[in-house]
Amino acid sequence: MTETAHSDPVDDSNANAPADSAAASAADESQHRREVIRKRVIDAIAVFVLSAVAVLTAWCGFQSSKWGGEMSIAFSEASSARVQSIDFASQARDARANDQAIWVQWVLATDQGDARLAGYIEQRFSPEFAAAFDAWNAGGREARGPFALDAYVPPGTEEAAALSDRADSRFHDALENNQRGDNYSILTVLFALVLFLTAMSQRELQPWVVRTLLGLAITVAVVGVVILLTFPIRI
């Protein structure tokens, strides 16, 4: 009898198994490589943000300190100018009192018709009052007296006014410098928020959370830099 040879059918699923396993392994390796690259990029960005913001924070602290010093100097100069203004104002007040005392004697001598005494007193007028007295005479003595004329400026009046204006100006500068220092201090708080968000993005979190935190940190940092560029600088 003739034996009939039977051939076993080929199992296609077993033949394709190695190929599917290799494809899956390659896909996993590619995914892992992408994850590693993504993490390295995020880490690099985070390090850059941390370093840049640390420098900006130090700069803000330096500027806040400088403007604080400028504020102290301006307050000191304003106080000094105010004291000098008061001294000159006192000098002007004393000069006016002396001129008024001499003026009273001249009025009494004139009222008594003592021209010799009146002339003697006129020779004792101060230069400032003499100029006002001459202007009063030139005006027909229509004004209430030499003291009512703009020509009468006792010594120390102009100096007192100039120093008073300087005191006001320097006091205003001190307030502005104080505000500038406060602005830089507030900006350090903003940059501290950037450092916090960046540090949180380095935690083991979901990728979308990491991206959100880092993106928010970069946004706040950019806003802080834009604001910083509008601030005056003191070296």
Side-chain angles (χ1 to χ4, degrees):
M1 295 180 61
T2 303
E3 294 183 357
T4 305
H6 297 281
S7 60
D8 295 333
V10 178
D11 191 349
D12 294 337
S13 61
N14 292 334
N16 293 332
D20 293 340
S21 177
S25 177
D28 291 341
E29 183 179 354
S30 177
Q31 179 66 22
H32 177 70
R33 187 181 299 110
R34 287 195 296 269
E35 289 295 329
V36 170
I37 294 175
R38 180 188 64 81
K39 190 175 186 307
R40 288 180 178 176
V41 170
I42 291 178
D43 289 344
I45 295 175
V47 169
F48 174 79
V49 172
L50 288 172
S51 302
V53 172
V55 173
L56 292 175
T57 302
W59 172 256
C60 289
F62 170 73
Q63 285 298 307
S64 178
S65 176
K66 292 293 290 186
W67 286 113
E70 291 294 325
M71 176 198 66
S72 298
I73 293 173
F75 272 133
S76 178
E77 291 180 351
S79 178
S80 177
R82 187 69 66 190
V83 171
Q84 294 180 57
S85 173
I86 293 174
D87 289 341
F88 278 108
S90 298
Q91 177 183 340
R93 183 172 59 252
D94 293 342
R96 178 182 288 272
N98 292 333
D99 290 337
Q100 288 175 340
I102 295 176
W103 166 251
V104 169
Q105 298 301 318
W106 182 88
V107 171
L108 293 176
T110 302
D111 182 64
Q112 295 171 3
D114 192 344
R116 181 172 175 273
L117 178 58
Y120 175 81
I121 294 174
E122 289 178 11
Q123 294 177 1
R124 270 62 184 174
F125 285 166
S126 66
E128 294 78 15
F129 183 71
F133 183 80
D134 293 340
W136 181 60
N137 281 328
R141 299 186 176 183
E142 294 182 359
R144 298 182 60 182
F147 296 100
L149 300 178
D150 294 336
Y152 178 67
V153 182
T157 301
E158 295 179 351
E159 292 85 351
L163 286 169
S164 179
D165 291 340
R166 173 171 173 75
D168 293 339
S169 175
R170 294 303 290 159
F171 183 79
H172 179 71
D173 292 341
L175 295 180
E176 284 190 349
N177 293 336
N178 179 59
Q179 185 59 52
R180 289 166 179 168
D182 291 344
N183 291 340
Y184 274 105
S185 296
I186 293 174
L187 205 55
T188 59
V189 177
L190 187 65
F191 286 137
L193 176 61
V194 176
L195 295 176
F196 170 76
L197 293 173
T198 306
M200 289 299 298
S201 69
Q202 297 302 292
R203 306 288 294 178
E204 294 295 333
L205 302 172
Q206 294 293 328
W208 70 270
V209 176
V210 172
R211 290 193 297 268
T212 300
L213 290 174
L214 189 56
L216 184 58
I218 293 174
T219 302
V220 176
V222 170
V223 172
V225 171
V226 172
I227 296 175
L228 179 62
L229 292 176
T230 65
F231 288 172
I233 296 175
R234 177 64 66 182
I235 302 299

